[in-house]
């Protein structure tokens, strides 16, 4: 019986454009997997893999990255969201660069977005089958960074960025029955996450949600443990990992389209160089 293959997508703001480059090459080469799980940028960019929209993540990000409707400090001050909610999750996917929700639904591959329940400090792995409507709220929640985003309320949950608790959800995919996984990371192999320097501000901003504050306090420890587990599974031949060869040197936000294209091309280059190895990993006896 064929082992089910999964796709695990780390977040990281605009480092996620590296992931977009990797996924575009996979789509161009017809490489399909049985299930996928994305966190934050890994969810909002990775959903284009399920809808089969090659180039879309790079296209709309380079087109709108300097548009204040996309992200701006003014938006943060005025609304509590650094990224404009209506523009990012309505105007772009429904009109300006349409997300193909019909193709997304037609693809039988399950796609999960990881969010953090701020009331419990635990992760929610939500399967999203529609690609529109309420699904967009979960995608937004998955990418809603603490302090610079409002809490997203959907289905009775209060949610923020999935990376707070489950930054690299390889174990979560394995537990869902996907023993062989392709993992796309946005940090190099020697990266070690450090304690969050913004914890004093986070404690104030999330003072009503002590479980979430606690999760933020230990986030670096959990991340480093997950990264070590990914490496362990990689060495055991159970995970195929694509990661940047060095730090991408791009922040969570940028208004420079050339910077986005640079990071995207690194992703493409890394995937193109390892296509044969990926096909060998996915090959069944």
């Amino acid at each position: 019986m064929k082992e089910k293959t999964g796709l695990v997508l780390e977040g990281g703001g605009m480092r996620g454009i590296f992931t977009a480059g990797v996924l575009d090459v996979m789509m161009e080469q017809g490489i399909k997997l049985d299930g996928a799980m994305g966190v934050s940028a890994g969810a909002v960019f990775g959903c284009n893999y399920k809808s089969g929209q090659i180039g879309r993540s790079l296209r709309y990000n380079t087109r709108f990255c300097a548009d204040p409707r996309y992200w701006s400090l003014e938006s943060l001050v005025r609304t509590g969201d650094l990224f404009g909610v209506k523009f990012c999750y309505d105007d772009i996917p429904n009109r300006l660069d349409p997300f193909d929700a019909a193709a997304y639904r037609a693809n039988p591959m399950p796609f999960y977005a990881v969010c953090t329940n701020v009331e419990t400090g635990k992760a929610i792995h939500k399967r999203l089958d529609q690609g529109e409507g309420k699904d967009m709220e979960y995608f937004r929640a998955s990418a809603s960074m603490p302090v610079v985003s409002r809490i997203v309320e959907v289905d009775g949950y209060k949610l923020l960025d999935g990376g707070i608790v489950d930054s690299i959800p390889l174990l979560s995919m394995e537990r869902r029955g996907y023993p062989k996984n392709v993992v796309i990371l946005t940090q190099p192999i020697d990266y070690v996450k450090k304690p969050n320097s913004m914890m004093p501000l986070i404690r104030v901003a999330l003072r009503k949600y002590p479980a979430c504050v606690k999760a933020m306090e230990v986030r670096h420890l959990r991340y480093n443990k997950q990264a070590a587990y990914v490496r362990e599974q990689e060495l055991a031949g159970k995970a195929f990992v694509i990661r940047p060869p060095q730090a991408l040197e791009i922040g969570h936000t940028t208004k420079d389209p050339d910077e986005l294209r640079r990071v995207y091309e690194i992703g493409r280059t890394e995937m193109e160089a390892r296509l044969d190895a990926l096909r060998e990993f996915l090959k069944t006896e």
Side-chain angles (χ1 to χ4, degrees):
M1 184 176 178
K2 177 181 177 292
E3 288 185 310
K4 290 171 69 175
T5 56
L7 176 65
V8 177
L9 307 172
E10 182 184 9
M14 288 306 172
R15 293 198 312 271
I17 290 294
F18 170 87
T19 300
V22 174
L23 293 177
D24 280 356
V25 173
M26 289 174 60
M27 285 189 281
E28 289 165 2
Q29 296 296 319
I31 296 173
K32 298 180 180 181
L33 302 173
D34 299 315
M37 183 175 289
V39 183
S40 195
V44 296
F45 296 164
C47 62
N48 293 287
Y49 177 74
K50 179 171 165 66
S51 65
Q53 291 178 271
I54 298 170
R56 181 174 179 269
S57 293
L58 178 68
R59 185 174 61 243
Y60 77 75
N61 276 286
T62 53
R63 179 181 175 188
F64 297 118
C65 65
D67 191 318
R69 295 174 298 173
Y70 190 47
W71 77 270
S72 68
L73 293 177
E74 179 185 351
S75 174
L76 177 61
V77 171
R78 191 179 71 252
T79 70
D81 286 297
L82 182 66
F83 286 85
V85 171
K86 182 179 183 301
F87 190 73
C88 292
Y89 296 98
D90 180 10
D91 294 344
I92 291 176
N94 291 326
R95 288 176 288 280
L96 299 175
D97 197 325
F99 179 67
D100 194 341
Y104 180 94
R105 287 192 295 273
N107 184 342
M109 181 192 77
F111 191 99
Y112 298 86
V114 184
C115 307
T116 295
N117 184 331
V118 299
E119 295 181 308
T120 65
K122 295 182 179 180
I124 289 176
H125 305 86
K126 180 66 175 179
R127 177 169 169 168
L128 304 177
D129 293 326
Q130 300 305 310
E132 59 186 353
K134 193 178 289 184
D135 280 11
M136 282 294 168
E137 291 297 289
Y138 280 101
F139 282 125
R140 176 164 75 94
S142 183
S144 290
M145 297 178 288
V147 179
V148 296
S149 306
R150 288 175 294 172
I151 291 170
V152 179
E153 298 192 31
V154 56
D155 287 335
Y157 296 117
K158 294 183 177 181
L159 306 173
L160 282 176
D161 188 343
I164 295 172
V165 178
D166 202 1
S167 295
I168 315 173
L170 173 57
L171 186 58
S172 297
M173 276 299 278
E174 291 175 342
R175 287 173 173 169
R176 279 165 176 74
Y178 298 87
K180 293 182 67 173
N181 288 278
V182 177
V183 183
I184 305 179
L185 303 180
T186 60
Q187 296 284 13
I189 195 169
D190 58 352
Y191 175 75
V192 176
K193 195 169 188 65
K194 298 178 181 178
N196 194 322
S197 61
M198 293 181 64
M199 278 310 305
L201 180 58
I202 289 168
R203 291 187 184 100
V204 173
L206 295 175
R207 59 190 178 278
K208 295 181 180 178
Y209 306 102
C212 189
V213 171
K214 178 62 178 178
M216 289 292 297
E217 289 174 340
V218 300
R219 181 181 183 183
H220 63 293
L221 301 176
R222 185 179 287 115
Y223 180 94
N224 293 332
K225 184 177 180 180
Q226 289 181 328
Y229 181 71
V230 169
R231 182 59 175 157
E232 176 185 308
Q233 294 299 81
E234 180 182 24
L235 293 173
K238 297 178 181 179
F240 185 92
V241 185
I242 300 287
R243 53 171 71 85
Q246 63 273 323
L248 293 170
E249 303 294 344
I250 189 171
H252 278 79
T253 58
T254 181
K255 292 186 179 294
D256 186 350
D258 290 337
E259 273 295 280
L260 295 174
R261 294 187 188 98
R262 176 185 66 82
V263 171
Y264 172 83
E265 289 299 330
I266 295 172
R268 287 194 63 93
T269 298
E270 289 300 306
M271 187 68 266
E272 288 168 348
R274 300 189 62 199
L275 277 169
D276 289 344
L278 177 57
R279 290 193 178 100
E280 182 64 26
F281 174 79
L282 296 174
K283 187 172 66 176
T284 57
E285 298 297 334

